[in-house]
Amino acid sequence: MRDFISMKDFTKEEILRILKLAKSLKENPQGNLLGDKIVSSLFFEPSTRTRLSFTSAAYRVGAKVLGFDSPDATSLKKGESLRDTIKMTGAYSDVIVMRHPIDGAARFATEVSNVPIINGGDGANEHPSQTLLDLYTIQEEMEKIDNLKIAFVGDLKYGRTVHSLSKALSMFNCEFYFVAPDLIQIPEHILKFLNNRNIKYTLVDDYKDILPEIDVMYMTRIQRERFENLDEYEKVKTVYEIDKNSIVGKCKEEMIILHPLPRVTEINIDLDDTKHALYFKQAANGVPVREAMYAIALGKYHLDEDEIDVEKRESISDHEEIQCKNNRCITQIEKTRNKVLEENGIKYCYYCGREIK
C-alpha cells in the first residue's frame, strides 16, 4: 500500500507508471477492481472537482464511499482533533482521501493512520492528485512531458497546485516562468528546491513577452481565502485576465492553457471554444488518474520501487527542540514529532516543507 502526500515522494519512473495505469483504466474500465473496499472522503475545506472526481473514481472501480464535505456537520465542531478524526475514520474504511486547510496536515495524518492517506490538498502546501492529472493532460496533449517551457501565472505564493506541479516537472527537465507580482510570487522554499536540482526558471510580472515561447500556460485563481490581509488581495485580485484577443495568434499554435479550477475572472469564457483551452478536459482527466491512485494506494497495483535506482538527497530526523515557524503548519495545532528534513545542508519542516532557519 502507498500514501500519496507529496510529489517529491515519487520518482520520475513511478510517475510515468501511474500515468500509464490511469490511461489503461480509462481505456479498459475495471468496475469491480475495488469492489470490497471502502473510501473515507474527508473534506475539511470546500471542493467541487477534487471531491466529486475522487467519488466518481471510487464508484467506477467498485468501491463504496463515506465521509463529509464540511467539518461543520462533524465532531470537529465539538473540538475533536485531526488525530482522533483520522484514527476513527481509518477504523471504518480502507483508504482516506482528505483535504485540509492546514499545511502539512496530510503528512501528519500518515503518522496516526493505519490505512493509506491520499492528499486532496493541504493548505497552501501540495496537491499531488491535481499534479498527476495535470501531467496526464500534458502528456496526452503534447505527447511528451520532458523539456517543455511552462508559464505559471497568478497566485504562486498560495497556489498548492503550482507548488506540487513545479516539483514534479523538475524531474522532466522543464523550464519555468513564474508570472506574478512580488506580493504573490513563488515562495523561496520552492525556488531553493529547484536550485538544488539545477532547474532553469525566470521570475517575471507579465506573460506577454514570453507568450510566443511557452508550451503550457498554467493559469491560477487569486485565492481570496488564503490571504490574511484582504487589502493585499484587493491589490492583485484582477492582475491577470486573459481572453481570446490577448492569446490567439500571439502564442504557439500548439500551446495549451491549463487551470486547476475554479476560475473567476482570470480566463474569459471566449477562450473556452479555442483549441488552446484544455481546462475542462484537464478536470475530466482527474477520474482515471484518481482511479489509478486508489489502485496503487490499496495495493492492487505496485510501482516496483525496488527496481528503481532512487537518488537519496535528503535525511529525516526528529528534533524536539526545533519547531516550524510557519503559523499555518500542522505542528502549530497538533502534537507532532517535530521532524526535520535536511537536504543539501538546508533544514526543512518534514510536514509543510518550509525552510527552518
Side-chain angles (χ1 to χ4, degrees):
M1 295 192 292
R2 184 82 181 255
D3 298 310
F4 284 83
I5 306 302
S6 168
M7 290 311 302
K8 66 191 216 41
D9 297 337
F10 295 86
T11 65
K12 177 180 178 179
E13 291 84 359
E14 288 176 320
I15 289 171
L16 291 173
R17 290 174 187 175
I18 295 167
L19 302 184
K20 183 178 180 181
L21 174 58
K23 186 176 180 66
S24 174
L25 289 171
K26 182 176 182 178
E27 295 175 349
N28 303 287
Q30 297 193 38
N32 198 39
L33 180 65
L34 301 177
D36 59 341
K37 301 300 182 184
I38 297 174
V39 175
S40 276
S41 175
L42 311 184
F43 277 72
F44 300 85
E45 214 180 27
S47 171
T48 302
R49 278 148 296 277
T50 301
R51 184 176 63 85
L52 293 181
S53 63
F54 264 118
T55 301
S56 175
Y59 290 155
R60 288 175 185 274
V61 289
K64 300 173 180 64
V65 181
L66 54 83
F68 56 81
D69 59 10
S70 169
D72 291 342
T74 73
S75 291
L76 293 166
K77 289 288 286 184
K78 303 175 183 177
E80 184 174 53
S81 66
L82 176 61
R83 176 189 300 271
D84 289 356
T85 301
I86 295 298
K87 282 182 173 292
M88 288 308 304
T89 51
Y92 305 145
S93 56
D94 301 291
V95 60
I96 295 172
V97 177
M98 63 176 283
R99 168 171 287 188
H100 201 280
I102 301 299
D103 302 354
R107 182 76 72 187
F108 169 75
T110 65
E111 296 188 337
V112 298
S113 175
N114 62 343
V115 300
I117 301 291
I118 298 178
N119 182 9
D122 61 322
N125 188 29
E126 289 217 41
H127 196 345
S129 69
Q130 178 69 47
T131 292
L132 288 168
L133 73 89
D134 293 341
L135 294 172
Y136 182 94
T137 305
I138 292 169
Q139 186 180 63
E140 288 291 291
E141 299 303 320
M142 308 300 291
E143 298 183 344
K144 67 173 186 174
I145 304 175
D146 293 277
N147 303 311
L148 295 174
K149 292 187 176 183
I150 319 286
F152 295 101
V153 184
D155 184 357
L156 311 187
K157 179 178 181 179
Y158 301 113
R160 59 193 172 199
T161 60
V162 172
H163 302 168
S164 282
L165 185 54
S166 58
K167 289 177 181 178
L169 287 170
S170 71
M171 304 179 204
F172 294 86
N173 196 36
C174 291
E175 181 179 346
F176 302 141
Y177 294 94
F178 295 114
V179 186
D182 290 343
L183 192 61
I184 49 174
Q185 187 53 274
I186 195 78
E188 187 64 28
H189 71 93
I190 300 294
L191 296 183
K192 286 189 175 181
F193 179 92
L194 299 177
N195 288 336
N196 288 338
R197 286 155 177 76
N198 298 314
I199 300 302
K200 185 177 180 181
Y201 63 82
T202 307
L203 306 184
V204 297
D205 60 9
D206 193 343
Y207 66 85
K208 294 184 180 65
D209 289 341
I210 63 170
L211 194 56
E213 300 179 30
I214 60 176
D215 302 296
V216 180
M217 186 180 216
Y218 195 92
M219 293 295 296
T220 65
R221 173 177 65 95
I222 309 299
Q223 302 175 91
R224 184 179 188 275
E225 66 273 20
R226 303 288 180 208
F227 284 76
E228 294 179 354
N229 183 339
L230 289 183
D231 288 339
E232 292 186 348
Y233 167 74
E234 291 295 327
K235 293 176 183 176
V236 297
K237 66 178 182 181
T238 58
V239 65
Y240 301 115
E241 296 183 345
I242 62 173
D243 57 20
K244 203 169 188 176
N245 183 59
S246 63
I247 298 296
V248 177
K250 299 178 175 66
C251 64
K252 288 182 178 181
E253 281 293 308
E254 66 275 16
M255 187 199 80
I256 61 173
I257 302 170
L258 301 182
H259 192 306
L261 301 178
R263 66 174 165 185
V264 185
T265 61
E266 61 275 7
I267 300 179
N268 192 294
I269 60 172
D270 69 359
L271 270 168
D272 293 355
D273 61 356
T274 70
K275 63 182 179 182
H276 303 295
L278 267 294
Y279 26 89
F280 292 117
K281 186 174 183 180
Q282 173 191 3
N285 287 336
V287 176
V289 166
R290 287 163 174 143
E291 290 178 38
M293 294 173 74
Y294 282 136
I296 292 163
L298 290 166
K300 294 294 184 178
Y301 289 87
H302 300 280
L303 296 177
D304 299 319
E305 300 160 87
D306 55 334
E307 296 179 7
I308 299 171
D309 182 19
V310 181
E311 180 183 355
K312 297 294 183 183
R313 292 190 175 98
E314 59 190 37
S315 63
I316 300 168
S317 56
D318 290 359
H319 284 271
E320 291 296 334
E321 72 281 6
I322 297 177
Q323 187 170 20
C324 179
K325 301 301 182 184
N326 173 14
N327 61 10
R328 295 172 179 261
C329 181
I330 193 67
T331 58
Q332 305 287 339
I333 297 169
E334 298 273 349
K335 181 174 175 55
T336 70
R337 295 167 60 188
N338 286 11
K339 288 183 179 179
V340 173
L341 184 153
E342 187 166 343
E343 181 177 1
N344 295 329
I346 302 173
K347 291 183 172 63
Y348 301 91
C349 174
Y350 171 73
Y351 300 95
C352 76
R354 302 301 190 275
E355 184 179 356
I356 296 175
K357 298 180 179 178

